[in-house]
């Protein structure tokens, strides 16, 4: 195996929770071959070093980072790169490198035979669970790996490597898996037995037993048959392991998520097989033999409310708090795609007190993979149809005349162009305007490039004024007898003045690094000014956007300077990997409220 790696070959190595795909991290050609076969075009790859001495050759490592790398959990740790002989295409355009040390005897032995670090990435195809069995691995990875190094210890449960970083001098998780899952998060009070089935992306599931919430390993995006099968296996494993019979199943409010469909199916089939048969028959032709009282309750939890509740729960806080919940996508209570939210509340209730100005996503999900579409949508809000004529801007230049016409029709007729308040998409659109990425190959790629570009020495900021919104009619999830209630007016964080100033700077030739910094600083100041207006002393920062170090550290420091208590994630990720914990907290609070 060592000789194969030295020769530039790809070796699949059986580890603790699955296979790694390994190549020489110094061999750019071997790394390119791995990327092409996997396929994983641009997303950073993790590196395994033999020991701390070797790790120090490629990364800047503080004493806290060393403690984390050498801890029993042994996660991948994101650390600043040094100039070294690591191939640039291991983590292209990224100032950090994800590095780890060997975590099994086999890895130790292999690294002893090599004279440099190796890429050690998950042994799977992109978006599929990691392979655990050698026969499965040969079947699924045979076209990727040139050789297989296996051992004779069976792997009972698939588990990826955990990913951690040091933020504001504390260890925080970005992916909670090997070494951390299923260690429990302890809550303030006892919970009924609730199963939470998590989000659609970065899925984890959770189970509450007394005061403890056991959270599964990272399962991944529920977008392939293999991922869905792994989701079901993990749930069955959890219920068997903890001998639990849930009285409720908490799920995301989005009606089309696989996890939502699964939860609603289990409301019938898990608790009562006879009722499941009746349900599957022709419109209940076969009458169920067990009473409805035996069925687990399905509890829908709004996505961003779950983020807020997760942050409160792991910090041992009851609330209320102001949750600044910024991410890419979450199904809102009004049916709109939320993502730039300010929620005031606790686990039981929330009020949407402010949000980013909404805009449309031409092509829907296609806009997630094409930030240039988001840039066009932002320009449409500023210029209307004249946005299509802004040919001095890179996103507009990148479209053919046919694409412009079709996208213009989507925006004009509001067809296949859903509304969103997504902060994640706002980052994408600005990245496209600054010519960073017009299309992306992985989630967050454009936003990461925008963060890394920012000049940290810049202190001035674009303005995002707060305006008052009109009341909006929204679905009432609590009262099924009344289909709509009037949502109270919320504050709108208006990014249009910021966009106008940004475009003026861009056209005046201001350095893109300065523009990026002013954009980030503007968002930080907008968070602080909104918090001051709302007046709640506790502020919880959650959602995938708070994986951005510039944004998170800036907002935390400014909020603390202004007198706020800031709550950040530590035990679960700020991204959707922490949603299942929040779903448990919300579901339990709703059940307590209902019984009181």
């Amino acid at each position: 195996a060592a000789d194969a790696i030295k020769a530039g070959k790809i070796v699949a190595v059986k580890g603790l929770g699955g296979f790694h795909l390994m190549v020489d991290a110094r061999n750019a050609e071997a790394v390119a071959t791995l990327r092409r076969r996997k396929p994983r075009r641009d997303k950073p790859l993790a590196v395994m070093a033999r020991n701390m001495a070797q790790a120090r050759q490629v990364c800047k490592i503080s004493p806290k980072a060393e403690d984390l790398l050498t801890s029993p959990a042994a996660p991948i740790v994101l650390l600043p790169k040094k100039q070294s002989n690591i191939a640039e295409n291991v983590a292209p355009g990224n100032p950090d490198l994800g590095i780890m040390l060997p975590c099994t005897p086999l890895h130790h032995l292999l690294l002893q035979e090599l004279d440099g670090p190796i890429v050690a990435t998950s042994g799977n195809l992109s978006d599929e669970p990691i392979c655990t069995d050698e026969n499965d691995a040969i079947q699924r990875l045979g076209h990727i790996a040139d050789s297989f190094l296996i051992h004779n210890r069976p792997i009972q449960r698939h588990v990826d490597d955990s990913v951690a970083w040091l933020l504001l001098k504390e260890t925080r998780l970005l992916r909670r898996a090997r070494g951390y899952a299923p260690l429990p998060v302890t809550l303030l009070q006892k919970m009924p037995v609730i199963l939470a089935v998590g989000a659609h992306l970065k899925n984890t599931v959770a189970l509450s037993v007394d005061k403890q919430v056991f959270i599964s390993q990272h399962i991944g995006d529920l977008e392939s048959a293999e991922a869905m099968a792994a989701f079901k296996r993990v749930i069955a494993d959890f219920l068997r392991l903890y001998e639990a019979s849930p009285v409720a199943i908490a799920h995301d409010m989005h009606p089309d998520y696989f996890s939502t469909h699964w939860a609603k199916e289990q409301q019938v089939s898990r608790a009562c097989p006879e009722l499941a048969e009746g349900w599957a028959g022709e419109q209940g032709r076969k009458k169920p033999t067990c009473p409805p009282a035996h069925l687990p309750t399905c509890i829908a939890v709004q996505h961003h409310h779950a983020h807020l509740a997760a942050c409160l729960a792991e910090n041992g806080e009851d609330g209320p708090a102001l949750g600044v919940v910024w991410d890419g996508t979450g199904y809102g209570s009004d049916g709109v795609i939320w993502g730039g939210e300010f929620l005031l509340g606790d686990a039981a209730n929330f009020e949407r007190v402010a949000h980013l100005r909404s805009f449309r996503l031409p092509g829907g999900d296609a806009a997630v993979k094409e930030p240039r579409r988001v840039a066009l949508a932002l320009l449409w809000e500023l210029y209307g149809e004249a946005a299509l004529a802004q040919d001095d801007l890179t996103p507009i230049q990148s479209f053919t005349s046919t694409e412009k016409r079709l996208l213009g029709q989507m925006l004009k007729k509001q067809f296949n162009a859903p509304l969103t308040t997504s902060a994640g998409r706002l980052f994408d659109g600005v990245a496209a305007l600054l010519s960073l990425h017009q299309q992306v190959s992985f989630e967050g790629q454009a936003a990461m490039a925008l963060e890394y570009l920012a000049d940290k020495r810049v202190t001035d900021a674009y303005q995002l004024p707060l305006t008052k919104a009109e009341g909006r009619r929204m679905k009432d999830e609590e009262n099924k007898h009344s289909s709509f209630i009037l949502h109270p007016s919320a504050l709108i964080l208006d990014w249009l003045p910021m966009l106008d100033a940004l475009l003026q700077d861009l056209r005046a030739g201001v350095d893109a690094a300065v523009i990026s910094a002013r954009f980030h600083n503007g968002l930080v100041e907008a968070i602080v000014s909104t918090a001051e207006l709302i007046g709640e002393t506790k502020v919880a920062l959650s959602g995938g956007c708070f994986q951005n170090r510039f944004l998170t550290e800036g907002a935390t420091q400014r909020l603390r300077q202004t007198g706020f208590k800031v709550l950040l994630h530590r035990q679960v990720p700020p991204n959707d990997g922490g949603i299942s914990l929040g779903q448990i907290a919300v579901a339990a609070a709703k059940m307590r409220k209902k019984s009181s």
Side-chain angles (χ1 to χ4, degrees):
D3 288 344
I5 289 171
K6 290 173 186 175
K9 301 296 185 183
I10 300 168
V11 179
V13 180
K14 189 177 181 183
L16 191 69
F19 277 78
H20 282 117
L21 290 167
M22 295 183 166
V23 296
D24 187 341
R26 302 163 300 179
N27 187 332
E29 189 178 337
V31 173
T33 301
L34 174 61
R35 286 193 175 281
R36 186 173 65 253
R37 292 181 187 175
K38 190 166 159 78
R40 186 166 173 164
R41 197 181 79 193
D42 305 305
K43 195 173 183 180
L45 299 166
V47 167
M48 184 179 286
R50 180 196 300 163
N51 50 31
M52 284 304 305
Q54 200 174 80
R56 284 195 190 93
Q57 292 172 7
V58 297
C59 288
K60 297 174 185 174
I61 301 177
S62 67
K64 277 204 169 185
E66 180 173 352
D67 289 344
L68 184 54
L69 282 166
T70 57
S71 67
I76 297 168
V77 184
L78 301 185
L79 294 169
K81 279 183 192 172
K82 278 184 178 178
Q83 286 290 333
S84 71
N85 56 3
I86 297 288
E88 174 56 32
N89 59 348
V90 169
N94 197 314
D96 295 333
L97 191 66
I99 194 157
M100 61 177 159
L101 297 179
C103 60
T104 76
L106 182 61
H107 288 89
H108 277 282
L109 291 171
L110 179 61
L111 268 292
Q112 290 301 322
E113 298 292 325
L114 298 167
D115 58 357
I118 54 172
V119 165
T121 189
S122 298
N124 60 355
L125 288 171
S126 292
D127 299 327
E128 288 187 5
I130 191 169
C131 292
T132 56
D133 173 78
E134 40 268 32
N135 296 315
D136 180 43
I138 290 169
Q139 199 68 19
R140 287 168 56 198
L141 305 178
H143 66 292
I144 303 176
D146 300 300
S147 305
F148 288 79
L149 176 60
I150 64 171
H151 55 71
N152 63 353
R153 295 184 68 100
I155 296 172
Q156 291 293 335
R157 299 173 181 87
H158 85 277
V159 59
D160 291 89
D161 298 306
S162 292
V163 181
W165 64 336
L166 290 164
L167 179 80
L168 297 166
K169 300 180 179 178
E170 280 195 63
T171 298
R172 303 180 194 277
L173 295 176
L174 296 174
R175 184 168 73 196
R176 193 176 192 270
R178 178 182 54 75
Y180 296 96
L183 293 174
V185 174
T186 302
L187 303 186
L188 293 173
Q189 52 189 308
K190 283 189 176 182
M191 303 274 153
V193 179
I194 300 170
L195 172 68
V197 294
H200 185 68
L201 302 178
K202 299 178 177 65
N203 180 269
T204 61
V205 301
L207 185 72
S208 55
V209 180
D210 291 330
K211 287 186 176 182
Q212 295 184 314
V213 177
F214 296 93
I215 304 168
S216 78
Q217 71 271 40
H218 168 84
I219 298 170
D221 300 350
L222 301 181
E223 294 189 336
S224 68
E226 290 80 7
M228 294 172 191
F231 166 84
K232 293 177 183 177
R233 279 198 306 273
V234 170
I235 289 174
D237 202 24
F238 252 46
L239 298 180
R240 185 171 57 250
L241 189 63
Y242 298 107
E243 299 179 341
S245 182
V247 296
I249 303 173
H251 61 85
D252 195 276
M253 193 179 282
H254 198 299
D256 296 327
Y257 280 176
F258 172 77
S259 53
T260 302
H261 286 297
W262 184 91
K264 291 184 175 178
E265 286 169 7
Q266 303 321 298
Q267 187 177 17
V268 173
S269 62
R270 265 205 70 261
C272 181
E274 296 90 342
L275 185 57
E277 288 180 29
W279 187 268
E282 293 178 11
Q283 298 182 6
R285 180 185 59 193
K286 183 177 178 181
K287 290 185 179 180
T289 58
C290 49
H294 291 175
L295 302 178
T297 304
C298 267
I299 300 175
V301 179
Q302 200 280 322
H303 186 90
H304 300 92
H305 186 200
H307 271 299
L308 168 59
C311 195
L312 289 172
E314 70 157 298
N315 280 282
E317 295 280 356
D318 273 332
L322 175 65
V324 184
V325 188
W326 287 7
D327 60 6
T329 302
Y331 190 83
S333 304
D334 54 359
V336 171
I337 301 168
W338 289 6
E341 310 309 310
F342 293 81
L343 307 181
L344 180 62
D346 52 23
N349 296 292
F350 76 91
E351 181 186 355
R352 190 191 191 197
V353 291
H355 58 82
L356 288 174
R357 177 192 178 101
S358 62
F359 55 96
R360 294 193 174 273
L361 293 176
D365 287 344
V368 177
K369 296 180 179 178
E370 294 189 30
R372 60 183 186 160
R373 292 184 183 227
V374 182
L376 171 60
L378 300 179
L379 294 169
W380 191 276
E381 293 291 314
L382 188 62
Y383 297 121
E385 288 187 57
L388 296 168
Q390 308 299 311
D391 291 326
D392 59 324
L393 300 173
T394 305
I396 306 302
Q397 292 170 10
S398 73
F399 293 118
T400 65
S401 55
T402 302
E403 287 171 334
K404 282 185 189 178
R405 186 175 69 254
L406 289 172
L407 293 169
Q409 288 298 309
M410 287 180 192
L411 289 165
K412 186 176 180 180
K413 295 181 179 179
Q414 301 180 0
F415 171 74
N416 193 21
L419 274 174
T420 186
T421 59
S422 171
R425 299 290 82 80
L426 183 63
F427 274 89
D428 286 352
V430 171
L433 288 168
L434 296 188
S435 305
L436 296 174
H437 287 283
Q438 304 309 318
Q439 297 173 315
V440 294
S441 65
F442 68 91
E443 183 192 13
Q445 185 178 9
M448 288 165 65
L450 185 64
E451 177 195 353
Y452 302 148
L453 175 68
D455 185 340
K456 310 300 189 293
R457 299 166 299 181
V458 174
T459 56
D460 52 332
Y462 295 129
Q463 299 299 306
L464 283 82
L466 279 163
T467 60
K468 196 74 174 175
E470 296 295 322
R472 174 181 288 168
R473 299 193 77 79
M474 62 181 280
K475 291 181 183 178
D476 179 8
E477 295 296 331
E478 294 294 327
N479 182 4
K480 302 300 180 184
H481 302 292
S482 171
S483 57
F484 287 91
I485 59 171
L486 189 66
H487 188 276
S489 295
L491 296 167
I492 300 293
L493 210 53
D494 191 356
W495 44 260
L496 269 188
M498 177 200 72
L499 179 64
D500 192 26
L502 183 153
L503 291 170
Q504 287 181 41
D505 279 353
L506 188 60
R507 286 164 168 154
V510 174
D511 190 281
V514 173
I515 294 175
S516 175
R518 288 174 177 168
F519 168 75
H520 280 85
N521 292 338
L523 295 177
V524 166
E525 293 306 318
I527 289 171
V528 174
S529 59
T530 306
E532 287 181 314
L533 195 59
I534 300 303
E536 172 54 52
T537 57
K538 295 175 192 168
V539 180
L541 304 181
S542 188
C545 289
F546 291 103
Q547 295 173 126
N548 179 317
R549 185 182 293 275
F550 193 154
L551 178 71
T552 308
E553 290 186 342
T556 301
Q557 288 163 357
R558 285 284 294 113
L559 286 165
R560 286 174 177 169
Q561 287 168 7
T562 317
F564 292 97
K565 180 179 181 179
V566 182
L567 307 177
L568 296 170
H569 290 281
R570 296 187 312 278
Q571 300 178 73
V572 299
N575 59 46
D576 285 2
I579 285 282
S580 58
L581 171 62
Q583 288 175 340
I584 294 258
V586 172
K590 286 186 174 184
M591 291 174 75
R592 281 194 296 270
K593 185 179 175 184
K594 192 173 181 179
S595 63
S596 62

